[in-house]
Amino acid sequence: MAAMKPRPAATLALLRDRSGGIEVLMLQRTQSAAFLGGAYVFAGGALDAADEDGRIVARVRGLGVQTPPVAYWVAAVRECFEEAGILLACDAQGQFVSAERAASLAHYRKKSFVDLLQAEDLYLPATELAYSGHWITAPGRSRRFDTRFFVAVAPEGQVGSHDANETVHALWITPREALERGARGEIELVHATRDTLGMLKNFATAGEALRHVRALKEVEENRACIAVGKDGEKVFRRTDPQYFEIHWSDPEETGTTTYDLVAGEPKRLDRFVSRLIAPNPGMMTGPGTNTYIVGENDHAVIDPGPDIASHIEKILAVGNIKWVLCTHTHLDHSPAAAAIKKATGAQVLGRPAPPGQDATFKPDHVLDHGQRLQIGDLTLLAIDTPGHASNHLCYMLEQTKMLFTGDHVMQGSTVVINPPDGDMRAYLASLEQLLEDDIAIIAPGHGYLIGAPKKELARLIAHRRAREEKVVNALVKIGPASVEELLPLVYDDVPARVHRVAARSLTAHLEKLAAEGALIATRGASGERYALVKSRTAG
């Protein structure tokens, strides 16, 4: 059964400056409340129909954007006044309501908000609010809210008070102290509140916090979701690796999809695609290689994985396999192709293996960039993505914009670039090219589906650029050096046990910089050494 539709709501975190740092106003909800009883929250609540009343909307000043819609801004100010007694309003000349006048208007807290604004000729200064968060209650709750979070500085002198109805205690507290008390169990904080407090604790003044929020380029929706697995039902949020896969595979929020990654157990990801994980877990493969089955009647297999009999048996059980596609020919992705072709007569597609890779992979057809494969009513588009491997391809399912990335993009870790076949310049160029494509979700060769593709691709590019900068800084610091000398400086943020693998990507970075003329490589009795060219170190 599909989950109930969440009700629109707004909440406002009010800040003030004190000698000990910024403080935020928190209200304790009554224990008998139907939603979040006993929890400490910011002032807020559900939108009213009157929040869209034209008489109120006409009194909103300075709202230059319509995201979120004006009713959320109105509700944030209204709820703050009704629940906390703090009135964020101004007169026709833009002068803020004084503390004395706000106190004299307290009787309006239980009356119509539009009546207050009209009777007192007051206006709502939207410029004083900054939109900071978007949180949606998990399905399965007795009540669900689609809440927009705002931040504002409390008007001078207005300290507020609870309404003795929905809220029973008002507390000005530093964000850090609130988090510490929450961690000790002294006050109850829900996840969205903790997240907001975690952001606010980093600022010395309310003004700094407000400027930070206003500078946000995007406020991401955090729609908590539910899935089931070996540890029972669990809630997941945007920062959890399972989050986007759960939403993709359970769009109606039934809570019945699984969060487990289990080898040998097929998982239906959507109408057209299922995933089968090979039983080859390890440091380089994570939970195992992802094999994807695409199609409704006739099927294509993407990355059949290693030549493991039990895995091949599971793939063959799908039936009607007509095509086998490989993203590349590393030994955890392509060897099973030969066995599947022998058993089914399926056509094998991809690119031949470079020296040292899977020599058993013999494509019946070599795919070019931009070539399409028709699978019934579905279309797979081949995209040239060298870097991790010189013959690497990604495949786009054009009907859903799902991109199968093999090892070009992996969930949970960065990709190893291993020269001579691996090429860092080609890898970064391939990532940048994918930024131009319309991708809805990434289906990687290892791990969960990856959402927010453009953000993830940009993150990977930034990560590689930052690593490259560490290479340059290390060479500036110690002068000409070998890979072994550079490793502990460039990869000081990863465990030493993975330095042997990291050395491959470090070599790829060095070769990229050398190809771009930023450094030179010399070979002597002690092996290869790298040095920056003088123009790079000048200044």
Side-chain angles (χ1 to χ4, degrees):
M1 181 182 296
M4 73 169 70
K5 185 178 179 180
R7 185 177 176 184
T11 191
L12 178 58
L14 277 176
L15 308 177
R16 70 181 186 184
D17 290 318
R18 286 296 183 267
S19 58
I22 64 171
E23 292 182 333
V24 60
L25 178 63
M26 304 200 71
L27 304 169
Q28 184 183 23
R29 292 180 59 79
T30 178
Q31 293 288 348
S32 61
F35 186 73
L36 304 182
Y40 278 76
V41 298
F42 310 121
L47 269 62
D48 288 343
D51 293 330
E52 296 181 290
D53 189 316
R55 294 172 296 173
I56 292 182
V57 173
R59 290 178 174 271
V60 176
R61 294 286 180 86
L63 186 59
V65 297
Q66 294 299 314
T67 303
V70 63
Y72 288 91
W73 302 77
V74 172
V77 177
R78 174 182 56 76
E79 286 284 343
C80 183
F81 179 60
E82 293 175 356
E83 286 195 345
I86 293 181
L87 182 57
L88 201 64
C90 62
D91 62 22
Q93 288 71 46
Q95 294 297 313
F96 284 99
V97 170
S98 66
E100 293 77 14
R101 188 178 181 193
S104 72
L105 300 175
H107 62 282
Y108 277 106
R109 290 173 67 177
K110 296 183 180 181
K111 296 182 180 180
S112 166
F113 195 52
V114 69
D115 288 346
L116 162 65
L117 299 180
Q118 288 191 313
E120 300 294 329
D121 193 24
L122 295 177
Y123 298 82
L124 304 183
T127 52
E128 299 304 308
L129 276 66
Y131 176 40
S132 64
H134 185 185
W135 294 81
I136 301 177
T137 314
R141 303 298 187 256
S142 58
R143 295 190 179 187
R144 294 189 74 193
F145 292 94
D146 181 343
T147 307
R148 310 301 179 110
F149 280 61
F150 297 86
V151 175
V153 178
E156 185 67 30
Q158 293 194 46
V159 296
S161 63
H162 62 82
D163 64 5
N165 181 23
E166 292 186 37
T167 60
V168 294
H169 182 53
L171 174 68
W172 283 98
I173 188 172
T174 68
R176 192 174 302 277
E177 183 184 354
L179 289 168
E180 291 172 352
R181 291 185 62 181
R184 293 195 298 265
E186 297 174 7
I187 61 176
E188 181 182 350
L189 301 173
V190 297
H191 188 89
T193 305
R194 288 198 304 272
D195 186 89
T196 304
L197 290 169
M199 179 269 292
L200 294 174
K201 75 176 183 180
N202 298 315
F203 302 101
T205 68
E208 284 182 20
L210 211 59
R211 285 191 293 273
H212 168 80
V213 174
R214 285 176 175 150
L216 294 175
K217 294 181 179 179
E218 178 186 9
V219 174
E220 297 174 325
E221 177 187 281
N222 196 317
R223 190 182 190 98
C225 53
I226 292 176
V228 294
K230 61 181 177 61
D231 295 325
E233 184 179 274
K234 296 177 68 175
V235 176
F236 297 91
R237 298 177 177 87
R238 193 181 182 96
T239 54
D240 296 318
Q242 303 91 339
Y243 175 85
F244 288 102
E245 178 168 312
I246 292 169
H247 276 296
W248 186 270
S249 57
D250 185 19
E252 294 188 340
E253 300 182 297
T254 64
T256 57
T257 192
T258 180
Y259 54 77
D260 289 326
L261 293 174
V262 182
E265 294 186 6
K267 178 177 180 180
R268 173 65 67 176
L269 297 174
D270 60 25
R271 175 183 171 187
F272 304 126
V273 180
S274 295
R275 180 184 62 216
L276 183 65
I277 302 174
N280 63 331
M283 185 178 73
M284 302 299 293
T285 57
T289 300
N290 289 336
T291 294
Y292 295 98
I293 315 297
V294 181
E296 295 182 283
N297 297 310
D298 295 334
H299 298 113
V301 176
I302 298 179
D303 279 352
D307 187 3
I308 298 175
S310 62
H311 183 58
I312 294 171
E313 182 181 354
K314 295 277 189 179
I315 296 173
L316 294 175
V318 171
N320 295 330
I321 297 174
K322 300 295 179 66
W323 306 272
V324 179
L325 300 91
C326 290
T327 57
H328 63 299
T329 49
H330 287 164
L331 296 179
D332 58 326
H333 285 262
S334 62
I340 295 172
K341 178 180 179 179
K342 182 177 180 181
T344 66
Q347 187 179 31
V348 176
L349 302 97
R351 290 180 172 173
Q357 296 186 25
D358 176 20
T360 71
F361 185 74
K362 308 291 184 182
D364 298 305
H365 184 79
V366 177
L367 292 171
D368 294 323
H369 174 72
Q371 192 164 353
R372 288 175 168 82
L373 173 67
Q374 203 68 33
I375 305 171
D377 294 330
L378 306 177
T379 308
L380 282 172
L381 171 68
I383 302 173
D384 189 26
T385 50
H388 174 69
S390 60
N391 63 345
H392 200 290
L393 291 164
C394 291
Y395 300 103
M396 173 81 81
L397 183 58
E398 294 190 311
Q399 283 67 27
T400 62
K401 304 299 183 184
M402 177 182 281
L403 183 70
F404 303 92
T405 58
D407 282 354
H408 193 62
V409 178
M410 298 199 309
Q411 187 271 322
S413 65
T414 53
V415 174
V416 174
I417 309 299
N418 186 21
D421 189 60
D423 185 312
M424 189 64 74
R425 292 183 78 188
Y427 180 66
L428 282 168
S430 297
L431 288 176
E432 289 169 348
Q433 181 59 48
L434 286 180
L435 276 173
E436 304 301 317
D437 293 333
D438 181 16
I439 306 167
I441 195 85
I442 291 172
H446 308 275
Y448 296 99
L449 297 181
I450 304 169
K454 287 190 183 297
K455 182 178 180 181
E456 176 64 12
L457 291 168
R459 184 192 69 81
L460 290 173
I461 293 168
H463 173 80
R464 296 292 184 177
R465 298 292 186 195
R467 188 71 72 189
E468 182 177 294
E469 193 62 30
K470 291 184 75 171
V471 173
V472 172
N473 290 339
L475 288 171
V476 169
K477 180 179 181 180
I478 65 175
S482 65
V483 169
E484 291 73 21
E485 291 167 331
L486 289 168
L487 260 175
L489 296 175
V490 178
Y491 287 87
D492 57 350
D493 55 340
V494 301
R497 59 183 172 80
V498 301
H499 277 189
R500 180 180 61 84
V501 175
R504 304 175 193 175
S505 290
L506 174 55
T507 300
H509 276 294
L510 291 165
E511 291 186 357
K512 173 182 177 293
L513 288 167
E516 294 171 346
L519 58 78
I520 55 174
T522 59
R523 179 171 292 277
S526 59
E528 198 101 50
R529 298 183 73 79
Y530 300 87
L532 292 173
V533 298
K534 290 183 179 180
S535 61
R536 184 74 184 230
T537 58

